[in-house]
Amino acid sequence: MLSAFFITDHDPSLVVNGVYDPLLVSISVLIAIFASFFTTRLIDLAKETKFHNYERLAKFTAAAIFSAGIWSMHFIGMLAFSLCTNIKYDPTITILSFLPAFFACQFAVSILINNKTTFKILGLCSVLLGAGIGTMHYSGMAAMELAPLLRYDPLMFVLSIFVAIALSFIALYSRFNLDKFFPTLTPLQSRTISAIILGLAVAGMHYMGMAATRFVATSPLLFDDINASAGLTFVAIAVATATVAITSVVAVINGMVRYKMLLEEKSADELSLIHI
């Protein structure tokens, strides 16, 4: 059964190598960092708020934004990858691959918000995030429909999961402890640094996972045409734009809800003072 997933002995002449579009690779990494920034911001707000309704909203939206960022990063990263054969994606599997990332992010965010950020808690959340990122990536890879066999190098496969977990831990640890080592950093600077590391955890896992991939030819390959590649670039940019737009809208809605709750609390305090 493992032989249908991993490969340890193969003829190098049968391995098909792909190339990446540097522009789309850059966009995929920026999308991951962008989503990570808003996710860490919502986690901070949820930990600080006194409103349970807003806390629940922040948990859900933080998980949704980060998992959407993981999915978008993976999708754009795959569109950036060009192989000398036709590649199609099963739409059902591609869409469903979002779910592992969402549920893992939901658990991790809930644990972070409801508990003190101890070493043990950060480690647990890092494992959840790393597992979510990895499961999303490899289930997304299962959506590929192409002529070569899709297999993985066992060592690189394990390393890709380790990269996701390790960088997730560094990102979470830096978010909650960076100010202890660098007290002059502003909250925005600290959040930006942790977002960059968390975004690199997503991108690092993806491209390490791609490095673990072996495309083994078993028959003559059909070559893509240049117009198809141009179309994929347009799709990737459209996905990136949609992700940024949706994330921004969700962040604005969160801010409006929190502002409304603060006003209601202020009004309630003023009324209580009048009655006194």
Side-chain angles (χ1 to χ4, degrees):
M1 185 175 179
L2 290 177
S3 62
F5 193 75
F6 295 111
I7 186 169
T8 56
D9 185 22
H10 60 274
D11 185 350
S13 64
L14 295 178
V15 175
V16 183
N17 296 313
V19 295
Y20 288 97
D21 182 321
L23 174 62
L24 295 186
V25 169
S26 300
I27 292 175
S28 70
V29 176
L30 290 175
I31 282 294
I33 294 173
F34 180 81
S36 299
F37 179 85
F38 280 96
T39 300
T40 54
R41 175 56 177 161
L42 289 174
I43 291 174
D44 289 344
L45 291 176
K47 289 181 75 70
E48 296 168 2
T49 188
K50 301 176 182 177
F51 308 108
H52 293 296
N53 288 337
Y54 179 75
E55 181 182 311
R56 287 195 290 270
L57 174 65
K59 285 179 183 178
F60 178 82
T61 51
I65 286 175
F66 190 55
S67 52
I70 295 171
W71 186 89
S72 298
M73 184 275 135
H74 171 85
F75 189 69
I76 296 171
M78 291 309 301
L79 293 179
F81 182 72
S82 178
L83 204 62
C84 59
T85 182
N86 295 322
I87 301 177
K88 296 181 180 179
Y89 295 90
D90 183 295
T92 302
I93 298 177
T94 299
I95 294 172
L96 290 178
S97 64
F98 168 83
L99 296 178
F102 175 75
F103 289 125
C105 291
Q106 185 71 65
F107 280 118
V109 168
S110 296
I111 292 172
L112 276 175
I113 292 173
N114 295 329
N115 297 274
K116 293 182 178 180
T117 52
T118 62
F119 194 88
K120 181 179 179 180
I121 291 296
L122 294 179
L124 174 60
C125 292
S126 301
V127 171
L128 283 171
L129 290 177
I133 296 169
T135 305
M136 187 276 121
H137 172 80
Y138 289 110
S139 59
M141 292 292 289
M144 295 182 73
E145 299 175 350
L146 69 171
L149 295 176
L150 181 62
R151 298 292 186 268
Y152 298 99
D153 178 271
L155 177 59
M156 293 295 288
F157 177 88
V158 173
L159 283 176
S160 68
I161 303 297
F162 176 77
V163 165
I165 294 174
L167 287 181
S168 293
F169 179 81
I170 294 172
L172 294 178
Y173 185 84
S174 65
R175 179 68 202 99
F176 299 107
N177 295 279
L178 199 61
D179 56 343
K180 298 177 183 177
F181 300 99
F182 303 97
T184 58
L185 287 177
T186 66
L188 177 61
Q189 291 173 329
S190 177
R191 188 178 303 113
T192 300
I193 292 172
S194 61
I196 291 173
I197 300 172
L198 191 56
L200 291 178
V202 178
M205 188 278 134
H206 173 84
Y207 291 110
M208 182 70 76
M210 291 302 295
T213 308
R214 301 290 182 268
F215 298 98
V216 184
T218 58
S219 61
L221 302 179
L222 298 175
F223 289 86
D224 287 324
D225 58 43
I226 191 168
N227 293 325
S229 299
L232 292 180
T233 301
F234 174 79
V235 172
I237 294 175
V239 170
T241 303
T243 302
V244 171
I246 293 172
T247 301
S248 300
V249 169
V250 170
V252 169
I253 292 174
N254 268 272
M256 293 173 64
V257 171
R258 185 167 182 268
Y259 182 70
K260 181 181 179 182
M261 289 181 174
L262 289 171
L263 286 180
E264 290 175 351
E265 181 187 37
K266 183 178 180 181
S267 299
D269 290 342
E270 290 175 350
L271 285 174
S272 63
L273 287 174
I274 292 174
H275 289 305
I276 292 174

